[in-house]
Each structure stands twice: as structure tokens, then as C-alpha cells.
């Protein structure tokens, strides 16, 4: 580089989140010729990050940061700091001297799934169709061999969703197989399939499932080369704003004939998943009713509870209702635990590798 002699021992370091627009001249050997990719932290990375952020926070002995790290795939450092901050606030609000595992679990749910909106008034009919919808997602996941285990099913509205089924990947995944994707499509279709089977009507509740499924199927055909009819080719070069994660334009580099084929394949993949979900639920209607009724009664089930219900066990009676989530009260905001102050972060939508079915 101009101005630096090779014997001066100066090392230049630069960072960018748009490596795609760098002038190639900058990247020639002898210039910025080493590239270090800073990726999302893996499970050990997340545990380390949690350790750093909890250093100044009084933790109860039963807090297991490893477990929190395992349950937060896809979150970055700032998100983890946010969870620690929220957990500290919750503990303060609950008049605890130390932060407990439960505070972390609730903070994690709040950050990853959105804030609970217990105030949203749902009609009995809406609750019922939500219970069957989420029950459908979860049951298909439970029945299909090889699925990730369900982490939580809830019909308490969170964020903009009326209910949520969330999954924990058993291990960190960087690569998904065609079978994985087909299973995920089947899970996504489970919600609408259950609604249709039980009520014989359609609602808008499946909107994000359908969007996600269509995108996944299209990617399978156009980007991952997973369609036998079209072979291992990419269709439609995409121009994306890497930084903003938005697609600007797709160049159509295939014929009308191929376009028709792509549409047919996408439709076939989704319909196959939908029919499989339908069949699974139809064969297990008793389980679907059981799960939906348990959800209506308890509102939240974790993976373990769901497993027990579906194996015919009776769950212990509900604990007294958990304390309602108060709005950010002035008192709580002013008196966060030490170390949590000044860490309040922007809300974010998690770039979860495994989006929760809404
Ligand atoms: Zn859904």
C-alpha cells in the first residue's frame, strides 16, 4: 500500500459487512490478503459470551449457562446480552436477589419468540382453532421420525402470532439434507391441515407457514438443485443486498417452459408435504384432540410435557398462574440489578435458522 514500506512492520486491519462490493485491487496479495470470517457463534461460543455478560450479575447456583447456550441457536452476541439483561430485569421485578434459571428461560422466550400478549382478547373460537393449529404443527413433528424435538407449544399470543410451536435443533446444524427440508415442510403444513380436518374451514392463521413453506420449496428447486425434474442447476440469479438481507432483483435466466416446470415442482413438493401431514393427523385424530384440549386448558406445554401427554400420562395440576408480565414499570426500569444497567439493547427479530411456526 502506498506510504508503507515493507520493512516498517505495520499491520492494517479492516472490517466490513459488505465484502462483495470491495474493489478487487484492495484484495490483491500483499494488501488485505487475509480474510477472517466472523460467523454466528456456535454453542461453545454462546456459552462463553453468556459467561462474559453474566460476570457482574449475581447468579443463583442452579443457573446452567450451558443449557441456555444450547437453546439459543442462531443468536449473536448482542442477542445474548439482551437475554442476560432481560433476565436481570425479570429477577429484579420478581424481588429476587439473584437471577435464577427460570428468569433466563423466560427472558429467552421473550427475546426469541416475542413478548407475551396476555392482554390480547381472543374469542373462544380463535383459541380453539389456534390450539388445533399449533397442536397440528407439534403433533406432526412428534410423529415424524427424525424431527427436531419440540421445545414449546403455546397458545398465548406473542408478538404478532396467536400461538407458537418452537423447536430445538438437537445439534448445531450448518447443512440440511433434502429429507430435513421435507420434514420441515411437513411440520409447517401441520397447522393448516389440523384446522381443516377438525373445523373444515380455513383461517388466515397459516399465513406465515405458507409463505415460509413456499420459499423453502422454491429454494429447494431453484437453488439447492433438489428437484429430480430440474436437476442440479440454479435458476434465477439473485441480486441481494447482503447487508440488508433483501433481494433487489432476480434475473430470470431460464425459459418460459422451465418457469412452468419450476412452478409445478414447487407445487408438487408442497402438496406432498401437505398430504403427508394430513395423513399423519387423520391417523392420529385422538392424539390431536388430546393435545389441543390440553393446550386449551394449560396454554403452554414444553417438549417433555407434550411427550407425556401423548403417551397417555396425566400431567400434575396446573401451578397457580404464573405472575402476569407487568409492563415495563418505571420502578423496575430504574432499579435493574447491578451490571444490567446501560445494557438495554434494541429489540430485534432473531435470524433463527429454524423459524418457529406461527
Ligand atoms: Zn402455523
Amino acid at each position: 500500500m502506498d506510504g508503507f514500506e515493507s520493512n516498517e512492520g505495520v499491520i492494517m486491519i479492516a472490517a466490513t459487512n459488505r465484502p462483495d462490493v470491495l474493489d478487487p485491487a484492495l484484495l490483491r496479495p500483499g494488501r488485505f490478503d487475509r480474510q477472517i470470517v466472523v460467523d454466528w457463534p456456535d454453542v461453545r461460543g454462546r456459552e462463553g459470551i453468556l459467561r462474559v455478560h453474566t460476570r457482574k450479575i449475581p447468579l443463583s447456583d442452579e443457573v446452567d449457562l450451558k443449557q441456555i447456550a444450547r437453546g439459543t441457536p442462531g443468536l449473536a452476541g448482542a442477542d445474548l446480552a439482551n437475554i442476560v439483561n432481560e433476565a436481570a430485569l425479570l429477577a429484579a421485578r420478581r424481588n429476587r436477589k439473584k437471577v435464577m434459571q427460570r428468569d433466563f428461560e423466560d427472558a429467552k422466550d421473550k427475546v426469541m419468540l416475542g413478548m407475551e400478549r396476555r392482554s390480547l382478547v381472543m374469542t373462544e373460537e380463535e383459541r380453539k382453532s389456534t390450539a388445533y393449529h399449533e397442536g397440528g404443527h407439534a403433533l406432526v413433528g412428534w410423529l415424524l421420525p427424525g424431527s427436531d424435538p419440540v421445545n414449546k407449544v403455546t397458545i398465548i399470543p406473542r408478538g404478532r402470532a396467536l400461538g407458537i410451536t418452537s423447536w430445538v435443533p438437537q445439534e448445531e446444524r450448518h447443512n440440511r439434507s433434502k429429507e430435513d427440508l421435507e420434514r420441515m415442510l411437513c411440520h409447517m403444513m401441520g397447522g393448516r391441515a389440523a384446522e381443516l380436518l377438525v373445523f373444515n374451514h380455513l383461517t388466515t392463521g397459516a399465513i406465515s407457514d405458507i409463505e415460509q413453506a413456499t420459499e423453502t420449496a422454491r429454494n429447494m428447486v431453484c437453488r439447492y438443485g433438489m428437484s429430480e425434474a430440474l436437476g442440479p442447476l440454479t435458476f434465477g440469479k439473485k441480486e441481494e443486498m447482503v447487508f440488508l438481507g433483501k433481494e433487489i432483483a432476480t434475473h430470470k435466466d431460464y425459459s418460459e417452459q422451465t418457469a412452468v416446470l419450476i412452478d409445478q415442482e414447487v407445487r408438487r413438493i408442497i402438496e406432498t408435504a401437505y398430504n403427508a401431514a394430513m395423513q399423519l393427523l387423520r391417523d392420529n385424530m385422538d392424539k390431536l384432540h388430546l393435545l389441543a384440549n390440553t393446550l386449551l386448558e394449560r396454554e403452554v406445554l414444553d417438549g417433555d410435557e407434550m411427550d407425556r401427554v401423548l403417551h397417555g400420562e396425566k400431567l400434575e395440576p396446573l401451578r397457580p398462574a404464573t405472575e402476569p408480565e407487568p409492563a415495563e414499570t418505571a420502578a423496575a426500569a430504574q432499579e435493574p440489578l447491578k451490571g444490567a444497567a446501560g445494557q438495554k439493547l434494541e429489540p430485534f427479530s432473531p435470524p433463527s435458522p429454524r423459524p418457529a411456526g406461527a
Side-chain angles (χ1 to χ4, degrees):
M1 249 166 247
D2 286 348
F4 294 110
E5 295 300 325
S6 54
N7 57 0
E8 278 181 47
V10 179
I11 296 173
M12 287 266 287
I13 298 175
T16 178
N17 43 20
R18 292 297 311 272
D20 52 316
V21 295
L22 290 180
D23 185 338
L26 273 177
L27 302 172
R28 273 184 217 138
R31 300 185 181 172
F32 288 115
D33 59 357
R34 299 283 150 90
Q35 289 187 33
I36 301 165
V37 176
V38 182
D39 211 345
W40 304 109
D42 61 6
V43 66
R44 261 190 309 171
R46 289 195 300 272
E47 193 190 332
I49 292 170
L50 285 168
R51 258 180 228 302
V52 169
H53 287 296
T54 48
R55 228 169 11 203
K56 288 183 186 158
I57 288 179
L59 293 184
S60 148
D61 291 338
E62 43 93 56
V63 169
D64 183 359
L65 293 180
K66 229 185 211 109
Q67 198 190 331
I68 302 162
R70 261 202 303 272
T72 46
L75 296 201
D79 311 328
L80 295 169
N82 193 16
I83 289 181
V84 173
N85 187 45
E86 288 288 346
L89 285 173
L90 277 175
R93 245 181 253 165
R94 291 164 176 170
N95 290 321
R96 286 204 241 279
K97 293 237 158 52
K98 288 181 169 176
V99 185
M100 295 180 64
Q101 185 75 3
R102 208 186 125 206
D103 303 320
F104 275 105
E105 293 294 335
D106 291 347
K108 193 182 89 185
D109 285 352
K110 186 174 165 190
V111 169
M112 291 181 76
L113 308 177
M115 179 84 162
E116 279 187 6
R117 285 169 66 205
R118 283 181 186 269
S119 57
L120 185 77
V121 181
M122 277 162 83
T123 64
E124 202 40 45
E125 223 170 293
E126 277 175 325
R127 279 190 81 231
K128 244 179 127 172
S129 78
T130 308
Y132 276 95
H133 181 105
E134 299 307 329
H137 284 308
L139 184 57
V140 169
W142 190 80
L143 291 167
L144 258 189
S147 301
D148 291 331
V150 169
N151 170 41
K152 184 172 267 187
V153 202
T154 156
I155 56 166
I156 300 169
R158 279 177 182 274
R160 287 173 62 198
L162 293 182
I164 280 169
T165 305
S166 74
W167 320 73
V168 204
Q170 274 159 310
E171 60 217 76
E172 214 86 349
R173 299 262 183 100
H174 303 287
N175 206 348
R176 285 202 177 263
S177 67
K178 185 178 171 209
E179 290 71 31
D180 278 337
L181 294 174
E182 282 167 351
R183 262 194 297 273
M184 278 164 63
L185 286 174
C186 208
H187 301 163
M188 291 176 204
M189 291 293 123
R192 159 150 294 198
E195 279 186 73
L196 197 65
L197 275 176
V198 176
F199 304 106
N200 197 24
H201 70 188
L202 300 176
T203 65
T204 53
I207 180 165
S208 68
D209 299 332
I210 293 175
E211 270 173 18
Q212 258 180 38
T214 311
E215 202 189 315
T216 306
R218 191 162 278 280
N219 282 338
M220 284 169 75
V221 176
C222 296
R223 296 175 65 193
Y224 311 149
M226 288 180 178
S227 147
E228 269 171 38
L230 286 147
L233 298 171
T234 15
F235 299 98
K237 257 234 156 323
K238 278 183 180 168
E239 217 175 279
E240 287 181 49
M241 296 267 280
V242 182
F243 176 52
L244 296 174
K246 282 207 181 105
E247 207 177 293
I248 309 174
T250 307
H251 298 297
K252 198 165 157 238
D253 52 7
Y254 45 84
S255 68
E256 284 302 323
Q257 220 177 346
T258 310
V260 173
L261 250 162
I262 290 175
D263 290 342
Q264 279 171 356
E265 275 295 279
V266 171
R267 174 177 289 271
R268 187 188 59 80
I269 290 174
I270 293 193
E271 276 177 356
T272 308
Y274 185 63
N275 292 337
M278 270 287 193
Q279 194 55 48
L280 272 176
L281 293 177
R282 211 179 276 132
D283 293 345
N284 292 278
M285 275 312 259
D286 52 328
K287 289 202 166 61
L288 180 61
H289 288 305
L290 178 66
L291 191 54
N293 286 327
T294 316
L295 271 174
L296 283 169
E297 184 194 313
R298 304 177 76 100
E299 298 194 316
V300 188
L301 286 174
D302 63 28
D304 180 52
E305 288 170 332
M306 182 179 120
D307 212 44
R308 282 163 50 208
V309 169
L310 291 174
H311 278 117
E313 267 181 62
K314 269 243 162 306
L315 295 180
E316 54 280 1
L318 277 180
R319 291 164 303 212
T322 44
E323 61 257 61
E325 196 70 32
E328 300 272 349
T329 55
Q334 277 164 14
E335 282 187 85
L337 290 183
K338 238 180 135 207
Q343 278 190 11
K344 193 108 178 63
L345 293 158
E346 307 266 309
F348 84 110
S349 23
S352 162
R354 183 65 211 270

